[in-house]
Amino acid sequence: AQRRLGLVSPAATQLLLPLLLGARQPHQLAMPSEREAWVGLESNPTVMTKYARSLGVADGWGFCDLWGLDDEALEAVPQPCVAAIFLYPFSQVEARKRALGTQQPASAPEVWHMRQDVSNACGSVAIMHSVMNNLDRIGEGSSFLDSFREKTAGASSAERAALFAPAVRDIHDSHASSGQTDAPAPTADL
């Protein structure tokens, strides 16, 4: 039986977004004006599983679609499930940030987090968050992931972001065009 990392559908996320963002005030992300842009990953469990395996996630772990958060939808997710990635339109998040202000939430040292400084890298960053926060379970023995954890231990989210792009750029490029749909241009507004 394959264990899973959950991938939540846009429809389920639209229902959850106000609840998730209402729990705390989000912070304003400081993004460089001239930044690197990647071809966005297709939100596809097969693509994301192959990407995670390229990072060093152990066989037996993979992504699946999660179409809702009701009991019936959750029962369809293979167990154990150690992470969920929520897919939602960025414009909704930005609108909520403006409505709430720009107060920075308290940091949680036990949570591995990095800022997204590369345009259209949201899928890669989400995969990295899922993997790094569960590394002892899903990436044990991966020389790349162990090395990346060591390099980023104690680093700020901005410092982790600076290390992220050069570390995974080639992995990202090898999977960015592998979905079922035509890959968008790196400069596309995803």
Side-chain angles (χ1 to χ4, degrees):
Q2 183 148 18
R3 300 161 290 184
R4 297 291 178 168
L5 300 158
L7 181 61
V8 180
S9 74
T13 304
Q14 287 179 357
L15 298 173
L16 287 173
L17 191 61
L19 298 172
L20 293 170
L21 292 177
R24 66 175 193 205
Q25 290 189 358
H27 65 282
Q28 191 74 3
L29 296 176
M31 297 292 188
S33 58
E34 300 270 337
R35 64 181 187 180
E36 184 173 355
W38 290 354
V39 171
L41 286 180
E42 184 173 297
S43 181
N44 172 320
T46 302
V47 171
M48 296 176 89
T49 297
K50 289 177 181 178
Y51 189 104
R53 295 256 170 78
S54 294
L55 291 172
V57 169
D59 289 342
W61 288 97
F63 287 90
C64 69
D65 283 321
L66 172 60
W67 294 103
L69 293 176
D70 56 272
D71 290 340
E72 186 178 347
L74 291 173
E75 287 172 8
V77 177
Q79 297 298 315
C81 178
V82 297
I85 294 175
F86 293 94
L87 175 64
Y88 54 88
F90 189 67
S91 60
Q92 288 182 6
V93 173
E94 284 304 308
R96 186 70 176 160
K97 283 181 186 178
R98 288 187 194 108
L100 292 174
T102 59
Q103 201 172 47
Q104 180 110 356
S107 64
E110 68 279 4
V111 176
W112 192 97
H113 178 264
M114 62 175 267
R115 192 171 71 187
Q116 181 184 334
D117 283 349
V118 177
S119 292
N120 298 332
C122 53
S124 295
V125 170
I127 291 170
M128 204 65 166
H129 284 137
S130 298
V131 169
M132 296 304 288
N133 282 298
N134 293 288
L135 193 54
D136 292 336
R137 288 185 77 178
I138 67 175
E140 193 173 330
S142 165
S143 59
F144 170 76
L145 291 171
D146 289 341
S147 173
F148 195 74
R149 174 171 42 189
E150 187 177 310
K151 287 178 188 172
T152 61
S156 70
S157 69
E159 292 166 331
R160 288 174 176 164
L163 294 168
F164 170 75
V168 302
R169 185 179 294 113
D170 290 341
I171 292 170
H172 181 92
D173 287 348
S174 71
H175 295 283
S177 298
S178 65
Q180 296 174 345
T181 59
D182 291 336
T187 55
D189 184 15
L190 303 179

